[in-house]
Amino acid sequence: MNVVVIGAQWGDEGKGKIVDYLAGEAQIIVRFSGGANAGHTIVIGEDQYALHLIPSGILYPDKLVVLGAGMVIDPVALFHELDMLDERGINTAGRVYISDRAHIVLPRYIQVDRERDQARKKPIGTTGRGIGITYSMKSDRDGIRIADLSWKERMDDLDEADREFLAPYTERLKAMSVDLATYLVHRKNAQVLFEGAQGALLDLDLGTYPYVSSGMSSAAGASIGGCVGPRRLDKVLGVFKAYSTRVGNGPFPSEFDAESEDELCRFIRETGREYGVTTGRPRRCGYLDLVALRYACIVNSIDSLVMTHLDVYDTVDEIKACIAYRIGGKIVESFPASVEDLKDAKPVLRSFAGWKKSLAGALAYEEFPLAAMEYIDFIERVCETPIDIVSVGYDRKETIIRKSPWKK
C-alpha cells in the first residue's frame, strides 16, 4: 500500500512528526521532493531530532528510507546529517538510499541563489540553500544527477572546482544509489510512505507563484519524485495546523494584523514554537485559512486531513477561522491565482468558543472537549474531507488516530 503525506498549507505543518508516527507501520519511507531547505522536527520523549534531507522514518531501526528522484541533494548537508544521527545512536548503515535520478546541489549554486534573491526588487525570501538554482539547472538540462557521477564525459565537462568538491563524496553517493522505480516494483507488496516537503501552497504550479518553492510539493510530486505511476498511490494525507503560518515573503490573507493582533501573534508563535527549523526565522502567523485549505484538498485529491497544533489553542477564550475573502468589495470563497488579489484579500472570519482545557492527556478523540470537536467538525464540513488524525503535542505518543490511513 502506498500512502502520501503532504503539507496542506505553506509548509511547517508538522509533517515530520506525522511521517515519523505513520512510519511505524511502513517498511519503506520515500522523500519525494525538496532538499536541505526543508526542516522536520521529531520529538521522542526527551530526545529531539531536526531532519532536513533524511526521511523522518529513519528513527525506526528497521525502516528503509530513500531520497527520491524529485529531490536535490547537497552532499555536505547529507553526510553531516548522517553523521549527526550516527553520533546520537541511530544506525543508518545500509538503510539510506538515493534515487540515481536525484540532482546534486553544488556550492556555486548556493552562492548564486543568495545573490539572485538579494538582487530581486521583491525578494522571494528563499532559504539560500541553492535549491532553486539546482532546479533551474535541472530544467535547463545542465544539472548533475547521482547517476551522472559514473558518466566520465559529463564529469569531465564540469568546472575543476565542481570536480574537486564532488571528489570526496562520489564513491559514497554511488554506493547509496538505487534505481528507485525498479526497487519499488520488486517491493510492490510493501507498505510505502511517501513524504513531501514544504506545502501544497508553495508548489511551483499550484501555489502562490512566484512566492513558491522550486519543486513539486503537491501530491502529484509523489508519483514523479517517488518513481511510481499515479494509479499506484492509494491515499493522500494533507497535514495542516489549527492555525496558519508562512515563512518568507508572499501573500497571506489570514495573517494576524501587526497592530491590533500583535499579542495574539506572539502567543501563537511562542506557544507553537513557530521558528524555522532550517533558518531559525520567526514564522508569520494567522488564522486558519479554510479557503486555502479547501483548495489544497481539491487540487491534491486529499483523502483525509491530519490536524496538528490543536493544543496551542488550549487556553484561548475565542478561536477564529477564515471562511472567505473580501476582495474589491466582493466576497470570494475560492482561492485565486492572482497574487494581487491575494494581497488585497481581507479575511472573513467565523468565531468559535475555546475549550479552556488541556488536550495533552486525551487518549481518544471522544475525550476531547465539545468545543474542540465542534471546531474540527466545522473544518471537515467546509473542506468536505475527514480529519482522521489529530496531534495534540510534539511527542510521538501525543497523536490521536480516528482512522488509520493504512486501512483501505
Side-chain angles (χ1 to χ4, degrees):
M1 187 173 182
N2 297 322
V3 173
V4 179
V5 176
I6 64 167
Q9 294 167 311
W10 282 282
D12 307 308
E13 302 93 347
K15 295 181 297 298
K17 176 199 169 171
I18 300 304
V19 170
D20 169 73
Y21 185 91
L22 296 177
E25 295 187 52
Q27 283 85 50
I28 304 168
I29 299 88
V30 178
R31 166 92 177 270
F32 63 81
S33 66
N37 57 333
H40 295 164
T41 302
I42 301 165
V43 179
I44 305 172
E46 298 297 318
D47 296 321
Q48 180 170 309
Y49 301 84
L51 300 176
H52 302 277
L53 283 166
I54 306 298
S56 302
I58 192 65
L59 299 181
Y60 291 89
D62 59 337
K63 310 302 178 184
L64 301 174
V65 302
V66 186
L67 283 68
M71 289 190 67
V72 290
I73 313 298
D74 179 343
V76 176
L78 172 64
F79 290 111
H80 175 76
E81 198 165 311
L82 288 171
D83 290 343
M84 177 274 294
L85 289 168
D86 288 337
E87 289 169 3
R88 297 188 62 180
I90 307 299
N91 183 12
T92 63
R95 298 201 293 125
V96 182
Y97 299 95
I98 307 174
S99 167
D100 53 11
R101 289 176 166 82
H103 279 247
I104 299 173
V105 180
L106 296 174
R108 58 186 171 91
Y109 298 172
I110 297 173
Q111 185 63 29
V112 172
D113 188 10
R114 293 170 180 170
E115 292 174 352
R116 182 175 293 184
D117 202 47
Q118 290 172 359
R120 287 187 171 103
K121 291 182 179 180
K122 296 181 179 179
I124 302 297
T126 74
T127 60
R129 299 300 178 97
I131 306 304
I133 302 303
T134 309
Y135 278 118
S136 295
M137 297 294 284
K138 174 181 177 178
S139 297
D140 288 341
R141 290 152 291 183
D142 289 322
I144 297 295
R145 303 175 303 161
I146 298 296
D148 299 335
L149 295 173
S150 300
W151 182 8
K152 185 178 183 304
E153 181 181 359
R154 183 72 184 93
M155 296 299 289
D156 289 344
D157 287 340
L158 290 177
D159 294 340
E160 183 178 354
D162 292 337
R163 292 198 300 271
E164 290 179 355
F165 166 74
L166 288 170
Y169 302 111
T170 298
E171 294 307 315
R172 296 177 72 183
L173 290 169
K174 286 163 65 174
M176 298 165 69
S177 173
V178 65
D179 175 353
L180 183 54
T182 301
Y183 181 84
L184 291 179
V185 164
H186 290 164
R187 293 160 180 80
K188 59 185 178 182
N189 293 323
Q191 302 259 74
V192 183
L193 193 59
F194 291 87
E195 176 184 10
Q198 287 82 49
L201 301 179
L202 292 176
D203 183 83
L204 183 60
D205 292 298
L206 301 176
T208 52
Y209 188 90
Y211 300 96
V212 292
S213 182
S214 298
M216 295 185 69
S217 51
S218 63
S223 176
I224 299 172
C227 296
V228 295
R231 290 193 293 174
R232 287 190 58 205
L233 300 176
D234 297 293
K235 283 188 180 179
V236 177
L237 275 63
V239 184
F240 77 102
K241 287 174 182 168
Y243 47 91
S244 299
T245 65
R246 179 164 194 165
V247 172
N249 299 323
F252 189 1
S254 66
E255 186 170 13
F256 294 137
D257 183 86
E259 296 181 5
S260 63
E261 295 168 326
D262 182 60
E263 184 177 345
L264 177 59
C265 182
R266 285 202 305 270
F267 170 79
I268 295 294
R269 183 175 291 144
E270 296 304 320
T271 307
R273 305 182 197 176
E274 296 301 347
Y275 295 88
V277 177
T278 301
T279 63
R281 290 183 292 184
R283 295 171 184 146
R284 299 158 63 190
C285 300
Y287 298 110
L288 175 60
D289 187 336
L290 290 174
V291 179
L293 184 60
R294 182 172 59 239
Y295 166 76
C297 289
I298 293 169
V299 297
N300 291 281
S301 296
I302 292 176
D303 295 291
S304 67
L305 288 164
V306 179
M307 186 182 209
T308 65
H309 291 241
L310 183 60
D311 54 298
V312 171
Y313 276 141
D314 281 353
T315 61
V316 177
D317 293 321
E318 182 184 53
I319 298 163
K320 295 180 181 180
C322 171
I323 59 172
Y325 303 145
R326 184 173 284 105
I327 304 174
K330 295 182 179 180
I331 299 298
V332 177
E333 296 182 344
S334 58
F335 192 72
S338 168
V339 169
E340 186 176 26
D341 284 348
L342 285 170
K343 285 184 174 180
D344 290 341
K346 304 300 179 186
V348 177
L349 302 173
R350 170 160 176 165
S351 297
F352 301 84
W355 41 91
K356 306 290 288 181
K357 178 182 179 182
S358 174
L359 298 177
L363 299 177
Y365 180 72
E366 290 71 26
E367 296 180 15
F368 280 11
L370 179 60
M373 289 184 176
E374 289 175 343
Y375 185 52
I376 291 171
D377 180 67
F378 182 81
I379 297 167
E380 289 181 319
R381 285 187 282 113
V382 170
C383 295
E384 298 182 327
T385 308
I387 297 174
D388 288 339
I389 301 175
V390 182
S391 170
V392 293
Y394 293 95
D395 197 275
R396 185 186 282 171
K397 65 184 179 182
E398 294 175 312
T399 311
I400 307 298
I401 305 295
R402 301 176 70 190
K403 180 181 178 182
S404 171
W406 297 113
K407 295 180 180 179
K408 292 187 176 182

